[in-house]
Amino acid sequence: PPPVALASAAPWLRWTVARLDNLVSVFVDTASAATGFPGTPVEGNPVVLEPGKGIVGIQLVNGGNDAIVAMNMLAGGFTGSSCLGTSQGNEGLFKVSLTGSASFRTLKDAPACIHSGFSLVTSNPSGTRVAAWDANGHKLWVLDGSTMQALATLDLQLPSDTPPQALAITPGGRYLAAVSYGRATLVDLENGRVVTQLSGAWGNVAKAAFAAGARRLLVASGQAVHTLALDNALQLINSTSNPVASSTETLRTLSVAEDGDSYVATSDSTAYWRTVGSATPLGSV
């Protein structure tokens, strides 16, 4: 629950603080569950991983009872004798239970070695469909969220110099958006088909998310959130760009409310609450 000091604060403020608190707690719990470093921690000597290695993606699913976690501590997928001398057990794509001890991981060529080339991961809210971007193989992996078994690997036909910077899946788990600098590729995951490729006025992407089912795609980039309105065939109707953060800030992420009407976008110091497709502030903290 929110701190006592916020008992009389506005509902949106209590809601935001509670979820930020939950997110921080989940990061700590999941890091503990997924990494499993041996030995007793020594004060002043934390474990330091190379840049780009460690937890590279995390997604809460199933009402916060589980988390999908991508770990990347090796340099690519290894098989057979090339695995000798490498550390096995801390790399790959995990589904971690936050209420129990059960977890699962995918193997590239079981039981040889764990594939660790993932740089992005996403899932629908229930966790039934998971997708991860393989930065080494330049492929999209689609997985069954219950068993974490690979269903397909897809070539999104993206230039090698513009890989996805964010992934988003619709609530039902059928459609995926792979968003990069100025481009969004929409994919039908049921048949492995690229539906359309859209262009936009955004630069580097911090986060993407669907709203209103599959009818809105939100892209956080720089100081703005870009809203792409889509028709039933996922073709672009129109797009808007709404400034959210100040010119001295950069948005880091965004999260859409369950009803799809509003979202919270955050910079390093501020959380902004907005209506989808509107620049009108609902609040900030």
Side-chain angles (χ1 to χ4, degrees):
V4 175
L6 294 178
S8 61
W12 69 264
L13 180 57
R14 297 199 305 272
W15 180 91
T16 300
V17 171
R19 274 146 187 79
L20 288 174
D21 177 67
N22 287 340
L23 181 60
V24 171
S25 299
V26 166
F27 264 102
V28 173
D29 291 344
T30 304
S32 232
T35 55
F37 290 105
T40 303
V42 179
E43 185 177 353
N45 294 281
V47 174
V48 179
L49 300 174
E50 296 178 26
K53 296 184 179 181
I55 294 180
V56 298
I58 183 170
Q59 174 92 40
L60 294 180
V61 297
N62 188 24
N65 291 308
D66 303 298
I68 307 297
V69 184
M71 296 289 297
N72 190 0
M73 298 168 67
L74 296 178
F78 298 85
T79 58
S81 60
S82 65
C83 281
L84 297 177
T86 64
S87 140
Q88 299 184 42
N90 294 331
E91 305 82 22
L93 191 61
F94 296 76
K95 181 177 182 180
V96 180
S97 172
L98 302 180
T99 57
S101 60
S103 64
F104 306 89
R105 65 173 176 245
T106 60
L107 305 180
K108 186 173 186 291
D109 292 304
C113 272
I114 299 168
H115 181 67
S116 60
F118 298 119
S119 60
L120 298 170
V121 63
T122 190
S123 172
N124 63 326
S126 64
T128 58
R129 184 65 55 86
V130 178
W133 178 253
D134 174 2
N136 294 325
H138 212 64
K139 301 282 187 181
L140 180 76
W141 286 49
V142 183
L143 304 103
D144 182 314
S146 299
T147 63
M148 296 302 288
Q149 296 300 305
L151 301 175
T153 56
L154 308 178
D155 182 354
L156 301 187
Q157 302 175 0
L158 297 173
S160 59
D161 59 344
T162 56
Q165 296 174 301
L167 301 176
I169 292 183
T170 53
R174 176 167 181 177
Y175 298 107
L176 174 137
V179 188
S180 58
Y181 195 104
R183 171 186 294 203
T185 300
L186 304 185
V187 184
D188 187 333
L189 296 179
E190 288 194 359
N191 56 33
R193 178 177 65 91
V194 174
V195 177
T196 188
Q197 290 189 339
L198 308 175
S199 58
W202 57 84
N204 288 320
V205 180
K207 184 73 174 180
F210 280 99
R215 299 299 296 273
R216 299 287 186 275
L217 175 63
L218 308 185
V219 179
S221 173
Q223 293 79 40
V225 172
H226 306 262
T227 303
L228 283 68
L230 309 172
D231 62 18
N232 289 334
L234 298 190
Q235 301 302 307
L236 183 66
I237 299 174
N238 61 62
S239 62
T240 58
S241 298
N242 296 313
V244 174
S246 68
S247 59
T248 60
E249 297 180 296
T250 299
L251 295 178
R252 302 299 185 188
T253 188
L254 68 83
S255 180
V256 177
E258 290 184 2
D259 60 12
D261 290 335
S262 63
Y263 64 87
V264 172
T266 62
S267 66
D268 287 333
S269 60
T270 309
Y272 300 92
W273 187 27
R274 298 287 187 271
T275 301
V276 171
S278 171
T280 303
L282 298 174
S284 62
V285 59

PDB file of all heavy atoms in Angstrom, residues 210-236:
ATOM      1  N   PHE A 210       0.803  -1.006 -26.952  1.00  0.00           N
ATOM      2  CA  PHE A 210      -0.504  -0.906 -27.592  1.00  0.00           C
ATOM      3  C   PHE A 210      -1.534  -0.384 -26.594  1.00  0.00           C
ATOM      4  O   PHE A 210      -1.436  -0.622 -25.386  1.00  0.00           O
ATOM      5  CB  PHE A 210      -0.960  -2.272 -28.102  1.00  0.00           C
ATOM      6  CG  PHE A 210      -0.348  -2.675 -29.420  1.00  0.00           C
ATOM      7  CD1 PHE A 210       0.730  -3.534 -29.465  1.00  0.00           C
ATOM      8  CD2 PHE A 210      -0.864  -2.181 -30.620  1.00  0.00           C
ATOM      9  CE1 PHE A 210       1.297  -3.905 -30.677  1.00  0.00           C
ATOM     10  CE2 PHE A 210      -0.307  -2.553 -31.832  1.00  0.00           C
ATOM     11  CZ  PHE A 210       0.775  -3.423 -31.865  1.00  0.00           C
ATOM     12  N   ALA A 211      -2.551   0.314 -27.123  1.00  0.00           N
ATOM     13  CA  ALA A 211      -3.696   0.763 -26.333  1.00  0.00           C
ATOM     14  C   ALA A 211      -4.951   0.557 -27.167  1.00  0.00           C
ATOM     15  O   ALA A 211      -4.867   0.471 -28.400  1.00  0.00           O
ATOM     16  CB  ALA A 211      -3.554   2.235 -25.939  1.00  0.00           C
ATOM     17  N   ALA A 212      -6.103   0.472 -26.503  1.00  0.00           N
ATOM     18  CA  ALA A 212      -7.376   0.237 -27.203  1.00  0.00           C
ATOM     19  C   ALA A 212      -7.279  -1.021 -28.046  1.00  0.00           C
ATOM     20  O   ALA A 212      -7.614  -1.039 -29.232  1.00  0.00           O
ATOM     21  CB  ALA A 212      -7.758   1.437 -28.059  1.00  0.00           C
ATOM     22  N   GLY A 213      -6.810  -2.113 -27.441  1.00  0.00           N
ATOM     23  CA  GLY A 213      -6.611  -3.353 -28.181  1.00  0.00           C
ATOM     24  C   GLY A 213      -5.424  -3.201 -29.117  1.00  0.00           C
ATOM     25  O   GLY A 213      -4.295  -3.034 -28.675  1.00  0.00           O
ATOM     26  N   ALA A 214      -5.741  -3.246 -30.428  1.00  0.00           N
ATOM     27  CA  ALA A 214      -4.683  -3.044 -31.430  1.00  0.00           C
ATOM     28  C   ALA A 214      -4.918  -1.765 -32.211  1.00  0.00           C
ATOM     29  O   ALA A 214      -4.306  -1.567 -33.263  1.00  0.00           O
ATOM     30  CB  ALA A 214      -4.639  -4.245 -32.377  1.00  0.00           C
ATOM     31  N   ARG A 215      -5.761  -0.876 -31.706  1.00  0.00           N
ATOM     32  CA  ARG A 215      -6.148   0.310 -32.475  1.00  0.00           C
ATOM     33  C   ARG A 215      -5.247   1.514 -32.239  1.00  0.00           C
ATOM     34  O   ARG A 215      -5.330   2.512 -32.949  1.00  0.00           O
ATOM     35  CB  ARG A 215      -7.600   0.687 -32.168  1.00  0.00           C
ATOM     36  CG  ARG A 215      -8.608  -0.393 -32.530  1.00  0.00           C
ATOM     37  CD  ARG A 215      -8.596  -0.722 -34.010  1.00  0.00           C
ATOM     38  NE  ARG A 215      -8.992   0.398 -34.813  1.00  0.00           N
ATOM     39  CZ  ARG A 215     -10.261   0.685 -35.127  1.00  0.00           C
ATOM     40  NH1 ARG A 215     -11.242  -0.087 -34.706  1.00  0.00           N
ATOM     41  NH2 ARG A 215     -10.533   1.735 -35.874  1.00  0.00           N
ATOM     42  N   ARG A 216      -4.398   1.465 -31.219  1.00  0.00           N
ATOM     43  CA  ARG A 216      -3.456   2.549 -30.962  1.00  0.00           C
ATOM     44  C   ARG A 216      -2.086   1.946 -30.642  1.00  0.00           C
ATOM     45  O   ARG A 216      -1.983   0.996 -29.867  1.00  0.00           O
ATOM     46  CB  ARG A 216      -3.899   3.420 -29.776  1.00  0.00           C
ATOM     47  CG  ARG A 216      -5.242   4.114 -29.963  1.00  0.00           C
ATOM     48  CD  ARG A 216      -5.146   5.256 -30.955  1.00  0.00           C
ATOM     49  NE  ARG A 216      -6.391   6.010 -31.029  1.00  0.00           N
ATOM     50  CZ  ARG A 216      -7.424   5.679 -31.809  1.00  0.00           C
ATOM     51  NH1 ARG A 216      -7.357   4.594 -32.571  1.00  0.00           N
ATOM     52  NH2 ARG A 216      -8.515   6.409 -31.813  1.00  0.00           N
ATOM     53  N   LEU A 217      -1.047   2.505 -31.249  1.00  0.00           N
ATOM     54  CA  LEU A 217       0.321   2.136 -30.912  1.00  0.00           C
ATOM     55  C   LEU A 217       1.019   3.372 -30.388  1.00  0.00           C
ATOM     56  O   LEU A 217       1.079   4.401 -31.070  1.00  0.00           O
ATOM     57  CB  LEU A 217       1.059   1.589 -32.136  1.00  0.00           C
ATOM     58  CG  LEU A 217       2.552   1.267 -31.927  1.00  0.00           C
ATOM     59  CD1 LEU A 217       2.718   0.167 -30.892  1.00  0.00           C
ATOM     60  CD2 LEU A 217       3.205   0.874 -33.250  1.00  0.00           C
ATOM     61  N   LEU A 218       1.533   3.324 -29.157  1.00  0.00           N
ATOM     62  CA  LEU A 218       2.210   4.447 -28.529  1.00  0.00           C
ATOM     63  C   LEU A 218       3.718   4.221 -28.583  1.00  0.00           C
ATOM     64  O   LEU A 218       4.198   3.116 -28.298  1.00  0.00           O
ATOM     65  CB  LEU A 218       1.774   4.611 -27.076  1.00  0.00           C
ATOM     66  CG  LEU A 218       0.274   4.683 -26.787  1.00  0.00           C
ATOM     67  CD1 LEU A 218       0.042   4.960 -25.313  1.00  0.00           C
ATOM     68  CD2 LEU A 218      -0.404   5.718 -27.651  1.00  0.00           C
ATOM     69  N   VAL A 219       4.452   5.265 -28.929  1.00  0.00           N
ATOM     70  CA  VAL A 219       5.907   5.202 -29.008  1.00  0.00           C
ATOM     71  C   VAL A 219       6.483   6.350 -28.195  1.00  0.00           C
ATOM     72  O   VAL A 219       6.222   7.524 -28.483  1.00  0.00           O
ATOM     73  CB  VAL A 219       6.397   5.298 -30.468  1.00  0.00           C
ATOM     74  CG1 VAL A 219       7.925   5.258 -30.516  1.00  0.00           C
ATOM     75  CG2 VAL A 219       5.811   4.178 -31.317  1.00  0.00           C
ATOM     76  N   ALA A 220       7.259   6.030 -27.149  1.00  0.00           N
ATOM     77  CA  ALA A 220       7.931   7.051 -26.350  1.00  0.00           C
ATOM     78  C   ALA A 220       9.320   7.276 -26.924  1.00  0.00           C
ATOM     79  O   ALA A 220      10.108   6.344 -27.056  1.00  0.00           O
ATOM     80  CB  ALA A 220       8.016   6.618 -24.893  1.00  0.00           C
ATOM     81  N   SER A 221       9.597   8.532 -27.268  1.00  0.00           N
ATOM     82  CA  SER A 221      10.887   8.866 -27.877  1.00  0.00           C
ATOM     83  C   SER A 221      11.245  10.302 -27.522  1.00  0.00           C
ATOM     84  O   SER A 221      10.426  11.208 -27.712  1.00  0.00           O
ATOM     85  CB  SER A 221      10.817   8.707 -29.403  1.00  0.00           C
ATOM     86  OG  SER A 221      12.000   9.166 -30.025  1.00  0.00           O
ATOM     87  N   GLY A 222      12.457  10.516 -27.019  1.00  0.00           N
ATOM     88  CA  GLY A 222      12.861  11.858 -26.644  1.00  0.00           C
ATOM     89  C   GLY A 222      11.987  12.403 -25.545  1.00  0.00           C
ATOM     90  O   GLY A 222      11.851  11.806 -24.472  1.00  0.00           O
ATOM     91  N   GLN A 223      11.333  13.532 -25.803  1.00  0.00           N
ATOM     92  CA  GLN A 223      10.438  14.146 -24.825  1.00  0.00           C
ATOM     93  C   GLN A 223       8.963  13.924 -25.150  1.00  0.00           C
ATOM     94  O   GLN A 223       8.089  14.424 -24.457  1.00  0.00           O
ATOM     95  CB  GLN A 223      10.688  15.660 -24.761  1.00  0.00           C
ATOM     96  CG  GLN A 223      12.035  16.059 -24.197  1.00  0.00           C
ATOM     97  CD  GLN A 223      13.142  15.924 -25.217  1.00  0.00           C
ATOM     98  OE1 GLN A 223      12.967  16.251 -26.388  1.00  0.00           O
ATOM     99  NE2 GLN A 223      14.293  15.428 -24.785  1.00  0.00           N
ATOM    100  N   ALA A 224       8.657  13.164 -26.213  1.00  0.00           N
ATOM    101  CA  ALA A 224       7.282  13.055 -26.703  1.00  0.00           C
ATOM    102  C   ALA A 224       6.787  11.611 -26.732  1.00  0.00           C
ATOM    103  O   ALA A 224       7.570  10.659 -26.767  1.00  0.00           O
ATOM    104  CB  ALA A 224       7.178  13.660 -28.098  1.00  0.00           C
ATOM    105  N   VAL A 225       5.469  11.482 -26.715  1.00  0.00           N
ATOM    106  CA  VAL A 225       4.810  10.202 -26.960  1.00  0.00           C
ATOM    107  C   VAL A 225       4.043  10.331 -28.275  1.00  0.00           C
ATOM    108  O   VAL A 225       3.199  11.215 -28.432  1.00  0.00           O
ATOM    109  CB  VAL A 225       3.862   9.814 -25.814  1.00  0.00           C
ATOM    110  CG1 VAL A 225       3.039   8.587 -26.193  1.00  0.00           C
ATOM    111  CG2 VAL A 225       4.652   9.542 -24.537  1.00  0.00           C
ATOM    112  N   HIS A 226       4.347   9.471 -29.219  1.00  0.00           N
ATOM    113  CA  HIS A 226       3.716   9.471 -30.541  1.00  0.00           C
ATOM    114  C   HIS A 226       2.611   8.422 -30.543  1.00  0.00           C
ATOM    115  O   HIS A 226       2.823   7.284 -30.103  1.00  0.00           O
ATOM    116  CB  HIS A 226       4.748   9.157 -31.623  1.00  0.00           C
ATOM    117  CG  HIS A 226       5.941  10.060 -31.595  1.00  0.00           C
ATOM    118  ND1 HIS A 226       6.077  11.157 -32.416  1.00  0.00           N
ATOM    119  CD2 HIS A 226       7.054  10.045 -30.809  1.00  0.00           C
ATOM    120  CE1 HIS A 226       7.224  11.764 -32.158  1.00  0.00           C
ATOM    121  NE2 HIS A 226       7.829  11.114 -31.185  1.00  0.00           N
ATOM    122  N   THR A 227       1.434   8.802 -31.019  1.00  0.00           N
ATOM    123  CA  THR A 227       0.282   7.910 -31.054  1.00  0.00           C
ATOM    124  C   THR A 227      -0.089   7.613 -32.496  1.00  0.00           C
ATOM    125  O   THR A 227      -0.385   8.530 -33.265  1.00  0.00           O
ATOM    126  CB  THR A 227      -0.926   8.532 -30.331  1.00  0.00           C
ATOM    127  OG1 THR A 227      -0.562   8.838 -28.979  1.00  0.00           O
ATOM    128  CG2 THR A 227      -2.103   7.569 -30.328  1.00  0.00           C
ATOM    129  N   LEU A 228      -0.065   6.321 -32.868  1.00  0.00           N
ATOM    130  CA  LEU A 228      -0.453   5.901 -34.207  1.00  0.00           C
ATOM    131  C   LEU A 228      -1.826   5.256 -34.113  1.00  0.00           C
ATOM    132  O   LEU A 228      -1.996   4.230 -33.435  1.00  0.00           O
ATOM    133  CB  LEU A 228       0.551   4.899 -34.789  1.00  0.00           C
ATOM    134  CG  LEU A 228       1.881   5.459 -35.317  1.00  0.00           C
ATOM    135  CD1 LEU A 228       2.736   5.996 -34.171  1.00  0.00           C
ATOM    136  CD2 LEU A 228       2.653   4.393 -36.075  1.00  0.00           C
ATOM    137  N   ALA A 229      -2.831   5.876 -34.771  1.00  0.00           N
ATOM    138  CA  ALA A 229      -4.178   5.317 -34.815  1.00  0.00           C
ATOM    139  C   ALA A 229      -4.267   4.344 -35.991  1.00  0.00           C
ATOM    140  O   ALA A 229      -3.908   4.688 -37.121  1.00  0.00           O
ATOM    141  CB  ALA A 229      -5.208   6.435 -34.972  1.00  0.00           C
ATOM    142  N   LEU A 230      -4.738   3.114 -35.725  1.00  0.00           N
ATOM    143  CA  LEU A 230      -4.768   2.054 -36.733  1.00  0.00           C
ATOM    144  C   LEU A 230      -6.197   1.589 -36.979  1.00  0.00           C
ATOM    145  O   LEU A 230      -7.042   1.633 -36.073  1.00  0.00           O
ATOM    146  CB  LEU A 230      -3.924   0.866 -36.262  1.00  0.00           C
ATOM    147  CG  LEU A 230      -2.484   1.190 -35.801  1.00  0.00           C
ATOM    148  CD1 LEU A 230      -1.845  -0.045 -35.193  1.00  0.00           C
ATOM    149  CD2 LEU A 230      -1.657   1.721 -36.964  1.00  0.00           C
ATOM    150  N   ASP A 231      -6.462   1.119 -38.212  1.00  0.00           N
ATOM    151  CA  ASP A 231      -7.777   0.548 -38.490  1.00  0.00           C
ATOM    152  C   ASP A 231      -7.762  -0.947 -38.186  1.00  0.00           C
ATOM    153  O   ASP A 231      -6.781  -1.485 -37.649  1.00  0.00           O
ATOM    154  CB  ASP A 231      -8.207   0.839 -39.931  1.00  0.00           C
ATOM    155  CG  ASP A 231      -7.268   0.215 -40.965  1.00  0.00           C
ATOM    156  OD1 ASP A 231      -6.506  -0.716 -40.597  1.00  0.00           O
ATOM    157  OD2 ASP A 231      -7.294   0.647 -42.133  1.00  0.00           O
ATOM    158  N   ASN A 232      -8.855  -1.641 -38.522  1.00  0.00           N
ATOM    159  CA  ASN A 232      -8.953  -3.065 -38.185  1.00  0.00           C
ATOM    160  C   ASN A 232      -7.921  -3.919 -38.894  1.00  0.00           C
ATOM    161  O   ASN A 232      -7.614  -5.037 -38.461  1.00  0.00           O
ATOM    162  CB  ASN A 232     -10.356  -3.584 -38.518  1.00  0.00           C
ATOM    163  CG  ASN A 232     -11.404  -3.041 -37.556  1.00  0.00           C
ATOM    164  OD1 ASN A 232     -11.089  -2.695 -36.419  1.00  0.00           O
ATOM    165  ND2 ASN A 232     -12.643  -2.958 -38.015  1.00  0.00           N
ATOM    166  N   ALA A 233      -7.392  -3.428 -40.011  1.00  0.00           N
ATOM    167  CA  ALA A 233      -6.365  -4.152 -40.758  1.00  0.00           C
ATOM    168  C   ALA A 233      -4.961  -3.704 -40.366  1.00  0.00           C
ATOM    169  O   ALA A 233      -3.990  -4.032 -41.050  1.00  0.00           O
ATOM    170  CB  ALA A 233      -6.584  -3.969 -42.256  1.00  0.00           C
ATOM    171  N   LEU A 234      -4.852  -2.932 -39.273  1.00  0.00           N
ATOM    172  CA  LEU A 234      -3.585  -2.392 -38.771  1.00  0.00           C
ATOM    173  C   LEU A 234      -2.905  -1.449 -39.757  1.00  0.00           C
ATOM    174  O   LEU A 234      -1.681  -1.310 -39.763  1.00  0.00           O
ATOM    175  CB  LEU A 234      -2.615  -3.516 -38.392  1.00  0.00           C
ATOM    176  CG  LEU A 234      -3.052  -4.462 -37.268  1.00  0.00           C
ATOM    177  CD1 LEU A 234      -1.905  -5.349 -36.845  1.00  0.00           C
ATOM    178  CD2 LEU A 234      -3.597  -3.697 -36.074  1.00  0.00           C
ATOM    179  N   GLN A 235      -3.708  -0.784 -40.569  1.00  0.00           N
ATOM    180  CA  GLN A 235      -3.182   0.246 -41.454  1.00  0.00           C
ATOM    181  C   GLN A 235      -3.332   1.607 -40.777  1.00  0.00           C
ATOM    182  O   GLN A 235      -4.264   1.832 -40.008  1.00  0.00           O
ATOM    183  CB  GLN A 235      -3.917   0.237 -42.800  1.00  0.00           C
ATOM    184  CG  GLN A 235      -3.811  -1.089 -43.539  1.00  0.00           C
ATOM    185  CD  GLN A 235      -2.390  -1.503 -43.823  1.00  0.00           C
ATOM    186  OE1 GLN A 235      -1.616  -0.737 -44.395  1.00  0.00           O
ATOM    187  NE2 GLN A 235      -2.030  -2.718 -43.432  1.00  0.00           N
ATOM    188  N   LEU A 236      -2.396   2.502 -41.057  1.00  0.00           N
ATOM    189  CA  LEU A 236      -2.364   3.790 -40.361  1.00  0.00           C
ATOM    190  C   LEU A 236      -3.527   4.686 -40.777  1.00  0.00           C
ATOM    191  O   LEU A 236      -3.775   4.902 -41.961  1.00  0.00           O
ATOM    192  CB  LEU A 236      -1.042   4.495 -40.661  1.00  0.00           C
ATOM    193  CG  LEU A 236      -0.810   5.828 -39.957  1.00  0.00           C
ATOM    194  CD1 LEU A 236      -0.681   5.620 -38.449  1.00  0.00           C
ATOM    195  CD2 LEU A 236       0.440   6.508 -40.509  1.00  0.00           C
TER     196      LEU A 236
END
